Amino acid sequence: MRIDPGDNSANILDIVIDPGKIGEFAGITQMEGTSSLIADQDGYGLGFLNTISVNEDGKILGVFSNGTVRVLAQILVATFNNPTGLLRVGDNMFDISANSGAPIIDEPGSAIQSKIMSGVLEQSNVDLAEEFTRMIIAQRGFQANARVITASDEFLQEITNLKR
């Protein structure tokens, strides 16, 4: 690679980067000199990302094949002074409005009293027993109304027959 330092000098820098070959201790390595003997290791060996987990503080942890666990990211939680003022944009998503106020963003478990529950299946927010009971009550009400209509129809037919 040739680099012009840009200071109007005639000297152009020639830089050679030798990444080496896989399996050899040549080129760019973490070893000093050209020795191929590793006398001591300072650090972790090569590790691949095996699994990802999320703790209740919202930290996304990566578990690597060499036994190390690293924080990869952090989930933040937002709350609003007036959550009912958020604008519904569809697909269970909301947007900020002037009525909702500015979001207060913080880590779970801190000033915002919330926790992240990893590996938990979210169930519907509907109480099935209560909704089933309401459905039965509505069905019974419909049946009662249908009987009233039938009875009033029979009553009107009887009146019509008496008139003749």
Side-chain angles (χ1 to χ4, degrees), residues 8-132:
N8 295 328
S9 67
N11 297 333
I12 294 179
L13 301 173
D14 287 322
I15 298 176
V16 177
I17 298 176
D18 181 13
K21 295 181 184 175
I22 295 176
E24 294 182 7
F25 292 106
I28 299 175
T29 66
Q30 294 180 354
M31 310 299 165
E32 179 182 352
T34 59
S35 172
S36 63
L37 297 175
I38 301 175
D40 192 19
Q41 178 180 339
D42 183 18
Y44 296 106
L46 177 65
F48 298 99
L49 183 62
N50 282 340
T51 58
I52 295 176
S53 64
V54 180
N55 65 12
E56 59 184 33
D57 294 333
K59 292 186 174 112
I60 300 173
L61 305 172
V63 181
F64 292 85
S65 61
N66 60 2
T68 60
V69 178
R70 300 276 180 173
V71 176
L72 303 176
Q74 169 80 46
I75 297 173
L76 299 177
V77 178
T79 188
F80 295 86
N81 289 329
N82 181 15
T84 58
L86 292 168
L87 296 174
R88 184 180 299 266
V89 294
D91 293 330
N92 207 18
M93 293 188 293
F94 296 87
D95 201 2
I96 300 169
S97 73
N99 194 17
S100 68
I104 302 165
I105 300 173
D106 207 350
E107 295 178 8
S110 59
I112 299 173
Q113 294 298 317
S114 63
K115 292 184 180 177
I116 303 291
M117 297 181 71
S118 176
V120 177
L121 178 64
E122 180 185 1
Q123 295 292 325
S124 174
N125 55 359
V126 175
D127 182 8
L128 289 179
E130 182 181 342
E131 293 301 319
F132 204 43

Side-chain angles (χ1 to χ4, degrees), residues 3 14 37 43 45 97 121 133 145 151 155 159-160:
I3 298 176
D14 287 322
L37 297 175
S97 73
L121 178 64
T133 304
N145 288 337
F155 182 70
I159 291 175
T160 306

